[in-house]
């Protein structure tokens, strides 16, 4: 796996953005761009090609699922692995996200000490 992993994180809660940043800084493998919502993410996506998408599910104006549909239409985004983060912990809700294309669903509150390892596990064999 290559040295640095480029990650696009979309999360409307600033506290969770900060916890995620601190968590992934512990791992020292991630170069992260963070956005507060879907429109901002779509704007950044025009010039940024991440290795993985880390998307909140419940956001105002555009859900993570709708954002993923829009990102998948952009050049270079069709096969980027996506991990959804959600407070919805029911198996049926997780199944819906997996069916929408998620490689993994991380339930909030998440363990900041293991977040980086969970993301790397999803990417094993995909980055060289």
């Amino acid at each position: 796996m290559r040295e640095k992993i480029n990650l696009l994180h979309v999360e409307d809660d600033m506290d969770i953005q900060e916890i995620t940043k601190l968590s992934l800084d512990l791992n020292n493998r991630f170069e992260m761009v963070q956005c507060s919502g879907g429109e901002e993410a779509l704007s950044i996506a025009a010039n940024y090609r991440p290795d993985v998408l880390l998307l909140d599910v419940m956001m105002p104006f555009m859900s993570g699922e709708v954002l993923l549909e829009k990102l998948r239409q952009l050049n270079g985004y069709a096969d980027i692995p996506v991990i959804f983060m959600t407070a919805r912990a029911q198996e049926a809700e997780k199944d819906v996200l997996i069916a929408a294309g998620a490689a993994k669903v991380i339930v909030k509150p998440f363990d900041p000490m293991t977040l980086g390892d969970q993301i790397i596990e999803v990417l094993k064999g995909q980055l060289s």
Side-chain angles (χ1 to χ4, degrees):
M1 190 177 298
R2 81 173 81 125
E3 184 72 22
K4 291 290 182 181
I5 297 167
N6 295 317
L7 183 141
L8 178 60
H9 179 221
V10 185
E11 169 65 60
D12 64 308
D13 184 314
M14 298 308 284
D15 290 334
I16 294 176
Q17 272 194 28
E18 185 64 22
I19 291 167
T20 301
K21 181 182 180 334
L22 292 170
S23 173
L24 296 182
D25 283 350
L26 289 172
N27 193 288
N28 204 30
R29 295 278 314 271
F30 296 93
E31 296 287 337
M32 181 170 44
V33 172
Q34 291 184 302
C35 303
S36 297
E39 290 299 327
E40 182 184 1
L42 289 169
S43 175
I44 287 172
N47 297 309
Y48 181 66
R49 295 293 178 266
D51 299 309
V52 63
L53 303 167
L54 185 61
L55 307 179
D56 183 19
V57 174
M58 295 181 291
M59 298 182 287
F61 311 112
M62 186 182 309
S63 72
E65 292 170 274
V66 171
L67 173 58
L68 179 60
E69 289 175 22
K70 292 179 182 250
L71 286 170
R72 291 290 191 227
Q73 296 171 16
L74 299 177
N75 186 30
Y77 274 77
D79 297 320
I80 295 174
V82 62
I83 299 169
F84 280 113
M85 295 180 79
T86 183
R88 296 178 178 174
Q90 300 297 319
E91 285 303 315
E93 292 166 322
K94 289 192 231 177
D95 291 343
V96 168
L97 296 172
I98 296 293
K104 183 170 185 67
V105 177
I106 296 174
V107 177
K108 298 179 201 173
F110 59 91
D111 180 356
M113 300 305 291
T114 64
L115 180 61
D117 292 337
Q118 290 180 67
I119 295 168
I120 289 169
E121 185 64 32
V122 166
L123 296 175
K124 277 191 176 169
Q126 295 186 22
L127 299 175
S128 52

